[in-house]
Amino acid sequence: MAFGLCLLLICMLYMSVITECQDPKQYKDKCSSLVLKDGGDVITMSDQLYNEARLSHQDVAYASSIEDRDRILSPTIITIPLSENEIVEIIKFANKCGYTISIRSGGHQYSGLSSCNQENGKCIQIDMKHFDYIIIDNISSDDDKLITVGSGVHLVDLYQVTQAMDIAVLGGICATVNAGGHYQSSSQSGWSRSLGLGMDYITRVKIITADGEIRNVYKGDDLFWAILGGSPGSWGVVIEYEFEPIKDSDYPHAAYYSYDHFYSKQGFSAFLNAFIDLLDNPYYANNNDMTVWFAGLPRLADPSTSSVVVGTLMSMFLSWTGIDNGDIHSVIPNHPMNKTWHQELVQPFIDIDEMFEETQIRSTDGTTTISKWLYEKANTVGRESVIPQFRKLNVQHQFNKTTMNELLRGPNREEYIQSIVDKFDELAANTTDNLEILW
């Protein structure tokens, strides 16, 4: 009896498999299509919206041609999920069907790695733009606040919220950079030499890992350090970050100075030499109050288009927190000429600004707050100086030890500095490749 029942079950199972294989209506290849259950978009290469979706807000700085851009940015499938559960669906589909995954929050990964290239195999891009929420705990109290920031939040929107509360989350000043990749890749700011990186203030990361698990990872966990120490997307899909923000009231001596000019070779040389002298100044090098940046980049007639470049912009930024020495107008202890910090560190740039008055665009000199500065810079410089999409020759240059030794103490220091001036002059004259240089 038992043997007969087993035989019957085996026969039924066999007939079920045969019937399924022979009846296309009952058989569906689970890898033939991806459908997100909460209504998120799935865009394939044959869809009319594909080009718009793959190129929108996507930066590829090193791409030298439209052909390179089209080859680099070519995901097999673009997904725009509405929920965490849909991201889990995407990850499981990719694991099952042999797709790799790339993640885009704002699309400012200069090598195009927030997209993917189907020439390297089937790939899915996850666009995190719907995860654009900001949640503030203890919003109505004087207690320490915690800020939860979704991966799809624009930095300018984050700064607008925080500056209204006199608190700050450190980060860059490009308005359309989004939180997701930025805070997993250092998040430098104009205050970093004094206050560290934006990622230093993260207390929790919500992430969906490659096994499809939704995890809250807290500071101190091994995975926490791995997420912040690896490049964006290397450990999963970051959903949100939680921050302990900076309080403006902790830095009552904060000040900011900037000098923007249209490019001239003489002006660039003067600012560059003063910048290098500042780096070698012991009153700067041995104290943590000041952060300095020097940038050269295209200035556009209309930030919404990449077609009209009206010149090259030179920008000198100096920020002061007073974290070690308080008021910038106080006298430096034991200074042989009894100078203030402002006279020693800032005045040389004021002199150059006045010397090249004919190329001046704007200058800023005075007190500020950390949060106000972040918002104002993202909302002005971060919008006005938008680099044309896909046409930027990016040669960002953070000084390494070898370069610093050459600039500050090398036997051919003057020749080395002059070679930088000559190269920038050559590049600034070429408007077919737009250039950004950042020190």
Side-chain angles (χ1 to χ4, degrees), residues 293-314:
W293 297 60
F294 183 34
L297 63 163
R299 183 172 176 84
L300 307 181
D302 179 1
S304 66
T305 179
S306 62
S307 60
V308 183
V309 177
V310 295
T312 297
L313 177 70
M314 305 181 298

Side-chain angles (χ1 to χ4, degrees), residues 197-364:
L197 305 172
M199 62 163 46
D200 294 333
Y201 297 87
I202 296 173
T203 57
R204 176 181 62 85
V205 181
K206 191 174 191 179
I207 188 171
I208 303 178
T209 46
D211 56 2
E213 290 294 317
I214 302 173
R215 305 173 189 270
N216 279 297
V217 185
Y218 292 88
K219 193 169 187 175
D221 296 342
D222 286 346
L223 183 55
F224 179 91
W225 303 118
I227 292 167
L228 299 186
S231 60
S234 56
W235 293 94
V237 181
V238 172
I239 304 300
E240 64 186 30
Y241 300 102
E242 180 184 80
F243 297 89
E244 286 183 346
I246 290 169
K247 296 179 182 178
D248 286 336
S249 58
D250 289 341
Y251 304 97
H253 301 294
Y256 171 67
Y257 309 89
S258 70
Y259 309 98
D260 295 343
H261 285 250
F262 279 117
Y263 173 78
S264 69
K265 188 172 184 179
Q266 296 81 5
F268 179 80
S269 178
F271 274 118
L272 179 62
N273 277 277
F275 169 72
I276 293 168
D277 288 344
L278 178 66
L279 298 180
D280 201 30
N281 186 324
Y283 295 109
Y284 172 85
N286 297 333
N287 296 275
N288 297 312
D289 303 90
M290 180 171 279
T291 302
V292 58
W293 297 60
F294 183 34
L297 63 163
R299 183 172 176 84
L300 307 181
D302 179 1
S304 66
T305 179
S306 62
S307 60
V308 183
V309 177
V310 295
T312 297
L313 177 70
M314 305 181 298
S315 292
M316 194 83 232
F317 305 88
L318 303 98
S319 67
W320 175 273
T321 59
I323 195 169
D324 288 335
N325 293 287
D327 188 350
I328 195 170
H329 294 287
S330 62
V331 175
I332 301 172
N334 304 315
H335 193 286
M337 300 177 65
N338 212 34
K339 284 186 177 182
T340 66
W341 295 99
H342 184 274
Q343 290 170 330
E344 177 69 28
L345 303 179
V346 180
Q347 190 61 47
F349 298 99
I350 295 176
D351 294 341
I352 295 170
D353 181 58
E354 294 173 350
M355 185 186 309
F356 293 93
E357 185 177 0
E358 69 279 4
T359 62
Q360 282 179 351
I361 299 173
R362 60 179 164 231
S363 60
T364 305

Side-chain angles (χ1 to χ4, degrees), residues 19-208:
T19 301
E20 185 179 77
C21 291
Q22 289 177 342
D23 185 356
K25 294 180 180 179
Q26 296 183 21
Y27 177 76
K28 181 177 181 181
D29 180 359
K30 294 183 179 179
C31 292
S32 64
S33 64
L34 171 62
V35 179
L36 300 181
K37 295 178 182 177
D38 293 334
D41 291 326
V42 177
I43 302 169
T44 63
M45 301 184 75
S46 60
D47 291 333
Q48 288 187 346
L49 294 176
Y50 178 77
N51 275 337
E52 179 182 348
R54 76 186 177 99
L55 299 179
S56 178
H57 306 299
Q58 184 71 54
D59 207 343
V60 184
Y62 75 81
S64 59
S65 68
I66 297 297
E67 291 74 19
D68 278 350
R69 178 202 70 182
D70 287 346
R71 179 178 55 80
I72 294 165
L73 306 177
S74 58
T76 314
I77 301 173
I78 299 170
T79 59
I80 310 176
L82 296 173
S83 67
E84 295 171 19
N85 287 335
E86 287 191 335
I87 295 175
V88 172
E89 290 178 50
I90 295 165
I91 291 173
K92 290 182 176 179
F93 177 89
N95 286 337
K96 178 175 60 181
C97 302
Y99 288 81
T100 58
I101 289 178
S102 62
I103 306 153
R104 178 171 74 182
S105 56
H108 285 257
Q109 210 290 328
Y110 284 159
S111 297
L113 296 180
S114 54
S115 184
C116 56
N117 183 354
Q118 63 161 339
E119 291 179 2
N120 299 325
K122 298 186 300 182
C123 58
I124 297 174
Q125 181 186 58
I126 301 176
D127 189 324
M128 298 296 290
K129 68 180 182 180
H130 291 310
F131 292 77
D132 57 350
Y133 52 87
I134 300 171
I135 302 169
I136 301 179
D137 293 339
N138 299 323
I139 190 169
S140 60
S141 73
D142 293 330
D143 296 336
D144 288 344
K145 294 173 173 54
L146 292 175
I147 302 178
T148 300
V149 180
S151 284
V153 171
H154 288 330
L155 292 185
V156 69
D157 296 329
L158 172 60
Y159 299 155
Q160 184 176 20
V161 170
T162 54
Q163 66 93 29
M165 305 181 68
D166 298 321
I167 55 177
V169 174
L170 294 182
I173 60 171
C174 183
T176 57
V177 165
N178 286 9
H182 188 58
Y183 287 102
Q184 204 181 345
S185 53
S186 85
S187 46
Q188 288 197 47
S189 83
W191 307 91
S192 285
R193 189 166 176 270
S194 289
L195 303 177
L197 305 172
M199 62 163 46
D200 294 333
Y201 297 87
I202 296 173
T203 57
R204 176 181 62 85
V205 181
K206 191 174 191 179
I207 188 171
I208 303 178

